[in-house]
Amino acid sequence: MWKLKIANGNKDEEPYLFSTNNFLGRQTWEFDPDAGTAEERAAVEEARRLYFDNRFRVKASSDLIWRMQFLKEKKFEQAIPPVKVEDAQKITSETASTALRRGVSFLSTLQASDGHWPAENAGPLFFLPPLVFCLVVTGHFNEIFTKEHCREILRYIYCHQNEDGGWGFHIEGHSTMFCTTLNYICMRILGEGPNEGSGNACKRAREWILGHGGATYIPSWGKTWLSILGVFDWSGSNPMPPEFWILPSCLPIHPAKMWCYCRLVYMPMSYLYGKRFVGPISPLILQLREEIYLQPYAEINWNKARHLCAKEDSYYPRPLVQNVIWDCLYMFSEPFLTCWPFNKILREKALGVAMKHIHYEDENSRYITIGCVEKALCMLACWVENPNGVHFKKHLLRVSDYLWIAEDGMKMQSFGSQLWDSGFALQALLASNLCSEIPDVLRRGHDFFKESQVRENPSSDFTSMYRHISKGSWTFSDRDHGWQASDCTAEGLKCCLLLSMMPPEIVGNKMDPEQLYESVTMLLSLQSKNGGVTAWEPARGQEWLELLNPTEFFADIVVEHEYNECTSSTIQAFILFKQLYPDHRTEEINSSIKKAVQYIENIQMLDGSWYGSWGVCFTYSTWFALGGLAAAGKTYSNCLAMRKGVHFLLTIQKDNGGWGESYLSCSKKRYIPSEGEKTNLVQTSWAMMGLLHAGQAERDPTPLHRAAKLLINSQLENGDFPQQEITGAFMKTCLLHYAAYRNIFPVWALAEYSRLVPLPYEKP
């Protein structure tokens, strides 16, 4: 059986593995062939069967494997009987409290020994195949992946194949050339024949690829990985010259001005492109060349292929100016830079600079890197530079940090959402007013946040490496990851401030005020002139640079932007900080809050909603906006934006009392409801809390009663809530499955409902 290991790492046994806080928050999986009773193994197989049978109805996993493990290890039994509501207008305090207590009990049990809440954070179907490709090319596949790994990877691929034979950009999306080609090749590498696989998976996939024009229509990232494998030619990719990394910093087009994720994807890509690296050409590679194209491989027009992209994959069609730039680089710059003496004078220097940056980023993230797309690319670049070098060895030891097992198989995570999920979980528990029943849970959570704050800026002269301050921040995942994030820092700061207001004998000693001050400094540094707060780094680049977006399937990825969610979280953190530390940077904080409020009001949509960048979508962001405005003292009576936001939420409430929004809202950039009366409990919770922030309980609690009825009646026997559609998103076109959300947000919403809505008591 598979077992989840928490904070697992030993520097003495593994000298290339190192940590800044003894691996707190680290999540790794191990397979133990002797673990588990026959009954436990049967339960896992039943969970897998049920998922597979219902995979087209609910595509996200319920993340059951580790939950089964934790519930067994902690001998959890739900002692509180379930409750049901017949009439929403007659919900009593006892009924709401019982449902809340059941949810708190279950959520508390899911906490890990180091204080964080584990959970899957995956969903995109282009994450895992490149890791497989990298390990195959470097010859280390069998060192990392056992036959059990391969079985679970194949299970995941089979589970998420669409009915038309293809794979979507994410597990809920329509089939795309990018992910269908990557997953087809992955199946073939893992041993499936061209007509094999569960349910004829390979045959159906190949038919989809050929039926949509063949793999020449794969978008640019796919062209890169296929070129690395040797099933595509580098001349079929648009140039990614490494000389970009030695451009003068005064130019508007410079790495320092790029969004960090874009910068760190194209850094190793440009290195591999500059090397024109191609892995070993095996018999399988030769077979694949004949399987995924409509014409013989030797007859493909690679120059024409540069501009091909399947319509299913194209979200951001390239403007004419970009195609002209690519053609000029292809026809003039590359021939010039790859011939003597310029290949020695410029290209080798540029490759060296790119690799210097790769090593710097690797070291400062303890070889986790900023995310999963970058992980495989940076690891491969290190191997290309030196197959026997320590950099590659360090990379191998951090592969397991990305892998996750659930009933739908093994997937690659974005990089983990440990701190993000745990911050929300703690706030939900604190809102419940049941703290006296869970002191150990709160203390462990408090310790986790205190030990997970980033304590140093990136090493040496970090500004010359295009990095920003990180001291005082919290990351999205764990401290070793090292990358500051404004919303994660704001939510972490809120947790530590709230816990500092509680007796230390219950939750432990409060955080040193100097560390809180450092968090404030980091947050202030990420506010732009327009009042909005960016996510990772200050907005350094101009908006027009988005015209040069090199991807076909993302939007707004070239430069850093401001976000409603980050701005709202920062407001809420600053308001709480002011209450406890009124004399620290008072004028700056007051000015920051004022500008942030103005920003939120300015970006409100005409229908009263706010666009969500990190969740689905307008429901998610409207919850954040109303929370930020309310924290700053805005009310329904004194703020038009609040009234419009409330009106938006009330008009989209469904007849059963819930809210349900389609993920298509993210890409269409307009509110699109889910089909019919389908609702989502997480989105319902967001809407409830948004209305509660705006004082709905005082005006008319009926919409809140109806929503609470849905939450209470949806609760399962053990206090869990059912898994529904994915509610996390990024870059407008892709979804992320936050498996912990289904427990955190219904509990939090019920807690706020019980606290703010006057409810009758049952007569004895």
Side-chain angles (χ1 to χ4, degrees):
M1 287 182 67
W2 288 95
K3 294 289 185 181
L4 179 63
K5 301 289 185 178
I6 300 298
N8 193 37
N10 190 324
K11 289 185 288 186
D12 295 329
E13 294 178 4
E14 299 172 305
Y16 295 119
L17 183 67
F18 55 108
S19 174
T20 60
N21 64 347
N22 203 26
F23 302 101
L24 286 182
R26 191 178 191 221
Q27 308 170 143
T28 54
W29 287 85
E30 292 181 4
F31 183 79
D32 182 352
D34 300 318
T37 64
E39 182 180 4
E40 289 164 355
R41 294 185 183 196
V44 169
E45 290 304 319
E46 178 64 7
R48 289 168 173 162
R49 185 192 66 79
L50 287 173
Y51 174 83
F52 190 81
D53 290 348
N54 292 282
R55 67 192 185 281
F56 295 124
R57 186 176 62 84
V58 179
K59 298 188 177 184
S61 81
S62 295
D63 208 13
L64 293 178
I65 306 299
W66 75 271
R67 289 170 178 244
M68 291 177 175
Q69 173 189 332
F70 272 38
L71 295 176
K72 175 183 179 269
E73 290 173 351
K74 298 183 180 185
K75 298 180 172 59
F76 173 79
E77 291 185 14
Q78 182 58 263
I80 307 169
V83 290
K84 295 295 179 185
V85 174
E86 296 295 332
D87 186 344
Q89 296 293 342
K90 296 181 180 180
I91 298 177
T92 64
S93 176
E94 287 83 357
T95 299
S97 176
T98 298
L100 174 59
R101 185 170 268 105
R102 297 177 77 247
V104 166
S105 173
F106 189 84
L107 178 59
S108 298
T109 305
L110 298 181
Q111 187 186 38
S113 57
D114 66 355
H116 89 276
W117 273 262
E120 174 183 333
N121 186 246
L125 292 169
F126 58 92
F127 282 1
L128 184 57
L131 177 64
V132 172
F133 301 166
C134 173
L135 293 172
V136 167
V137 167
T138 61
H140 289 265
F141 181 86
N142 292 327
E143 177 183 338
I144 301 298
F145 288 150
T146 64
K147 63 180 181 179
E148 286 80 17
H149 285 85
C150 295
R151 182 182 298 117
E152 294 305 320
I153 292 171
L154 284 171
R155 186 193 309 279
Y156 186 69
I157 292 173
Y158 297 149
C159 279
H160 295 291
Q161 187 174 26
N162 288 334
E163 292 177 278
D164 64 2
W167 283 264
F169 199 40
H170 51 79
I171 61 175
E172 295 198 8
H174 65 267
S175 296
T176 61
M177 183 64 73
F178 184 30
C179 291
T180 302
T181 304
L182 292 188
N183 282 280
Y184 174 75
I185 293 174
C186 195
M187 288 190 294
R188 297 285 282 114
I189 287 173
L190 292 171
E192 299 290 22
N195 296 306
E196 296 177 354
S198 176
N200 293 319
C202 287
K203 180 181 179 183
R204 293 165 57 222
R206 190 174 65 259
E207 289 174 349
W208 193 98
I209 293 168
L210 297 177
H212 290 78
T216 51
Y217 282 85
I218 197 169
S220 56
W221 284 13
K223 288 176 167 65
T224 295
W225 275 109
L226 267 58
S227 298
I228 289 167
L229 279 175
V231 295
F232 202 88
D233 195 280
W234 277 113
S235 62
S237 292
N238 281 318
M240 295 177 282
E243 287 74 18
F244 181 65
W245 305 99
I246 58 175
L247 289 175
S249 59
C250 60
L251 294 178
I253 304 174
H254 185 269
K257 298 176 174 65
M258 294 173 68
W259 179 47
C260 55
Y261 278 89
C262 186
R263 183 170 76 238
L264 298 181
V265 165
Y266 286 97
M267 185 185 295
M269 272 192 184
S270 70
Y271 179 85
L272 295 165
Y273 175 83
K275 289 277 191 179
R276 299 297 197 278
F277 172 77
V278 179
I281 304 301
S282 66
L284 176 59
I285 296 300
L286 296 176
Q287 291 173 35
L288 288 168
R289 288 179 176 182
E290 303 306 316
E291 292 172 8
I292 60 175
Y293 299 108
L294 292 178
Q295 62 270 68
Y297 188 78
E299 297 176 12
I300 294 173
N301 183 337
W302 296 112
N303 183 30
K304 179 181 177 182
R306 289 188 301 114
H307 294 306
L308 296 180
C309 179
K311 63 179 178 20
E312 292 81 5
D313 297 63
S314 181
Y315 178 72
Y316 180 79
R318 287 177 176 153
L320 177 62
V321 63
Q322 191 179 139
N323 285 331
V324 170
I325 292 172
W326 291 129
D327 287 342
C328 289
L329 288 171
Y330 185 84
M331 290 185 289
F332 303 114
S333 296
E334 276 303 300
F336 175 79
L337 291 167
T338 53
C339 70
W340 188 90
F342 302 105
N343 60 340
K344 295 292 183 182
I345 297 173
L346 290 176
R347 177 125 303 179
E348 288 191 5
K349 177 183 178 181
L351 289 169
V353 171
M355 184 51 71
K356 177 183 176 183
H357 280 272
I358 291 169
H359 290 326
Y360 181 85
E361 296 298 340
D362 288 346
E363 284 289 328
N364 278 279
S365 65
R366 274 52 63 181
Y367 286 80
I368 297 171
T369 75
I370 194 173
C372 63
V373 174
E374 297 81 357
K375 172 65 178 177
L377 288 165
C378 289
M379 182 162 62
L380 179 58
C382 288
W383 183 85
V384 171
E385 182 199 35
N386 184 354
N388 298 312
V390 297
H391 299 294
F392 180 69
K393 292 176 181 177
K394 290 178 179 180
H395 261 297
L396 285 175
L397 291 173
R398 284 294 193 171
V399 169
S400 58
D401 291 62
Y402 280 95
L403 302 177
W404 193 261
I405 290 279
E407 64 271 22
D408 61 342
M410 174 172 281
K411 66 284 306 262
M412 191 176 189
Q413 304 220 85
S414 65
F415 53 95
S417 53
Q418 298 95 304
L419 280 161
W420 180 248
D421 290 338
S422 298
F424 284 145
L426 277 175
Q427 291 179 73
L429 294 176
L430 289 170
S432 72
N433 288 326
L434 298 173
C435 298
S436 61
E437 299 180 17
I438 51 171
D440 293 341
V441 173
L442 297 179
R443 179 184 287 268
R444 283 192 298 268
H446 194 193
D447 288 343
F448 176 66
F449 270 88
K450 288 187 291 185
E451 293 300 322
S452 295
Q453 188 189 36
V454 176
R455 299 301 307 127
E456 300 293 339
N457 288 321
S459 61
S460 64
D461 182 12
F462 57 87
T463 56
S464 69
M465 306 304 284
Y466 321 138
R467 289 293 297 270
H468 186 59
I469 61 172
S470 58
K471 188 176 184 180
S473 68
W474 279 273
T475 73
F476 186 67
S477 53
D478 58 25
R479 179 165 146 182
D480 284 343
H481 179 257
W483 268 91
Q484 71 283 350
S486 62
D487 48 0
C488 301
T489 299
E491 299 300 334
L493 179 58
K494 285 164 62 180
C495 286
C496 291
L497 292 170
L498 290 168
L499 288 161
S500 75
M501 300 163 67
M502 298 184 65
E505 58 270 20
I506 294 179
V507 299
N509 294 327
K510 64 183 181 181
M511 183 175 256
D512 184 339
E514 286 297 326
Q515 293 177 241
L516 302 177
Y517 299 163
E518 291 163 0
S519 300
V520 170
T521 297
M522 207 285 296
L523 289 172
L524 287 170
S525 75
L526 293 180
Q527 187 170 38
S528 300
K529 290 181 180 179
N530 65 4
V533 177
T534 58
W536 288 274
E537 296 175 325
R540 301 167 179 149
Q542 300 297 314
E543 288 283 340
W544 65 264
L545 289 172
E546 291 294 351
L547 289 171
L548 305 180
N549 177 3
T551 69
E552 303 89 343
F553 40 73
F554 287 135
D556 297 334
I557 61 109
V558 177
V559 298
E560 179 68 279
H561 297 272
E562 299 80 20
Y563 300 98
N564 172 57
E565 300 98 309
C566 299
T567 307
S568 171
S569 288
T570 300
I571 291 173
Q572 295 176 56
F574 279 174
I575 294 293
L576 189 55
F577 178 83
K578 274 181 52 180
Q579 294 173 11
L580 299 177
Y581 299 93
D583 298 325
H584 183 75
R585 303 183 72 167
T586 307
E587 291 186 11
E588 291 173 83
I589 291 173
N590 287 339
S591 175
S592 172
I593 293 170
K594 182 179 179 181
K595 291 191 297 182
V597 167
Q598 188 64 52
Y599 171 81
I600 290 176
E601 292 178 337
N602 288 343
I603 64 168
Q604 188 175 28
M605 308 289 284
L606 291 176
D607 65 359
S609 66
W610 283 265
Y611 180 81
S613 297
W614 311 113
V616 180
C617 170
F618 294 95
T619 314
Y620 177 71
S621 196
T622 300
W623 163 54
F624 268 98
L626 294 176
L629 293 174
K634 300 293 184 179
T635 66
Y636 186 86
S637 59
N638 70 16
C639 178
L640 176 61
M642 291 281 275
R643 293 194 293 274
K644 290 170 65 178
V646 167
H647 176 74
F648 167 73
L649 290 177
L650 292 178
T651 55
I652 63 170
Q653 188 176 23
K654 300 205 172 189
D655 290 344
N656 65 0
W659 280 261
E661 182 176 0
S662 168
Y663 76 86
L664 294 172
S665 294
C666 300
S667 58
K668 302 294 185 183
K669 293 189 275 191
R670 57 181 172 83
Y671 175 76
I672 298 176
S674 53
E675 295 180 2
E677 280 301 298
K678 183 185 290 186
T679 55
N680 186 290
L681 299 178
V682 173
Q683 292 172 342
T684 297
S685 302
W686 292 336
M688 278 183 72
M689 291 192 286
L691 291 173
L692 287 164
H693 286 314
Q696 187 67 32
E698 292 80 33
R699 290 187 303 277
D700 176 15
T702 299
L704 300 171
H705 293 321
R706 294 170 57 219
K709 175 185 175 182
L710 179 66
L711 293 184
I712 293 169
N713 289 347
S714 299
Q715 194 173 36
L716 304 178
E717 286 290 320
N718 61 359
D720 195 0
F721 289 88
Q723 180 60 54
Q724 297 172 305
E725 299 82 11
I726 291 181
T727 51
F730 66 97
M731 296 301 105
K732 296 183 170 59
T733 57
C734 208
L735 298 188
L736 266 181
H737 176 31
Y738 291 83
Y741 277 13
R742 78 170 191 269
N743 298 107
I744 294 168
F745 288 110
V747 165
W748 198 350
L750 286 173
E752 297 291 359
Y753 172 78
S754 299
R755 185 173 67 88
L756 296 173
V757 180
L759 296 172
Y761 287 90
E762 292 181 8
K763 295 180 181 180

